[in-house]
Amino acid sequence: MINLILFGPPGSGKGTQAANLVQHYNLYHISTGDMFRSEIGNKTELGLLAKSYMDKGELVPDEVTVNMLRKRVEDNPQVKGFIFDGFPRTVAQAQALDAMLEDMGQPITALLELKVPAEELIVRLMNRAKTSGRADDADANVIKNRIQVYRENTAPVAEYYDQKDKTKAVHGVGEVAQITQNLIDALDAAIAESNAA
Ligand code: B4P
């Protein structure tokens, strides 16, 4: 079983690359951002709560996010593995994920971290705002807050998995297909390492 965390700041290409990796490895894709947007679209109580955080560029509280994620994992026991896209975003979420996977006897295979400079992130998200209708892409101050929240709360997750020798950095600027290949090379190396261990 492959359990991949696709990691990086907002706009680094997690959603874009997850779509390509899902096809290559035949994994089940879980994007917490997409799950929240679906709840918002259906005007559920969870959606209303999530929207109040997302529109400001803040993180949805850990407990809400972890419970939603756990349910999605438990509902799919038959899959070959998961791509976690946009989760975990805090060390508390990482610890909850590890505990969940330990119960299943399935550790994280790797955390692949997309490296993209902040100036490039802002350009990409402002461009996406033209078509996405996403409130959190449309305002430069909200984007800056998302990047700040990433630095303060989310970046420590890469260090957390680095201490377990699971983190691998991947250059995230350039052609989408080339970046996909870089991710495949890094994940294949991580799979070989875990098989040899
Ligand atoms: P997400 O949905 O995860 O939003 P994101 O980080 O903006 O998306 P992503 O990084 O996948 O976008 P991509 O680069 O593919 O989260 C949104 C919000 O939900 C968060 O701010 C938070 O409030 C909440 N949330 C989600 N998960 C949470 C959690 N675990 N805990 C708490 N809160 C949570 O795409 C960006 C753009 O770049 C696209 O237009 C794309 O076409 C373009 N692009 C991609 N690759 C490119 C390349 N190589 N070159 C040029 N452009 C590229």
Side-chain angles (χ1 to χ4, degrees), residues 11-16 32 37 58 60 86 89 93 128 146 174:
S12 57
K14 301 183 295 288
T16 305
T32 41
R37 282 185 287 278
E58 302 289 341
V60 181
R89 262 178 157 96
Q93 291 183 13
R128 183 169 68 181
R146 289 164 65 192

Side-chain angles (χ1 to χ4, degrees), residues 33-52:
D34 286 350
M35 290 171 76
F36 286 133
R37 282 185 287 278
S38 162
E39 296 285 339
I40 292 169
N42 292 328
K43 298 191 166 61
T44 64
E45 203 177 315
L46 173 58
L48 282 176
L49 176 80
K51 187 170 167 33
S52 68

Side-chain angles (χ1 to χ4, degrees), residues 12 17 26 36 42 58 61 71 82 98 100 106 133 135 137 140 144 147-148 170 172 176-177 179 181 184 188:
S12 57
Q17 294 298 337
N26 192 18
F36 286 133
N42 292 328
E58 302 289 341
K71 183 168 185 330
F82 294 98
D98 281 353
M100 209 182 305
Q106 297 291 345
D137 286 347
K144 284 184 186 146
I147 294 171
Q148 187 61 23
V170 174
V176 169
I179 298 166
Q181 191 55 52
I184 289 171
D188 284 348

Side-chain angles (χ1 to χ4, degrees), residues 51-182:
K51 187 170 167 33
S52 68
Y53 291 94
M54 290 167 76
D55 284 359
K56 291 183 283 192
E58 302 289 341
L59 296 179
V60 181
D62 285 339
E63 196 189 339
V64 176
T65 309
V66 167
N67 286 339
M68 180 180 76
L69 187 281
R70 179 179 292 116
K71 183 168 185 330
R72 183 58 66 90
V73 170
E74 285 172 358
D75 283 350
N76 289 282
Q78 77 293 354
V79 300
K80 284 181 64 183
F82 294 98
I83 295 186
F84 298 102
D85 161 6
F87 183 96
R89 262 178 157 96
T90 63
V91 170
Q93 291 183 13
Q95 288 165 337
L97 178 64
D98 281 353
M100 209 182 305
L101 293 177
E102 203 171 301
D103 283 349
M104 295 161 60
Q106 297 291 345
I108 286 295
T109 311
L111 177 151
L112 300 185
E113 180 182 9
L114 286 162
K115 293 281 195 186
V116 179
E119 318 80 71
E120 168 82 7
L121 300 173
I122 294 168
V123 171
R124 286 186 190 180
L125 294 176
M126 298 292 277
N127 263 335
R128 183 169 68 181
K130 292 175 196 157
T131 53
S132 70
R134 280 176 56 171
D136 60 344
D137 286 347
D139 182 323
N141 286 327
V142 173
I143 293 176
K144 284 184 186 146
N145 189 39
R146 289 164 65 192
I147 294 171
Q148 187 61 23
V149 167
Y150 175 82
R151 287 187 178 136
E152 284 173 15
N153 300 93
T154 306
V157 173
E159 289 158 32
Y160 170 87
Y161 282 107
D162 195 32
Q163 283 167 11
K164 298 170 186 273
D165 280 333
K166 302 279 186 187
T167 295
K168 290 183 186 287
V170 174
H171 184 59
V173 181
E175 291 291 327
V176 169
Q178 181 58 56
I179 298 166
T180 304
Q181 191 55 52
N182 297 345

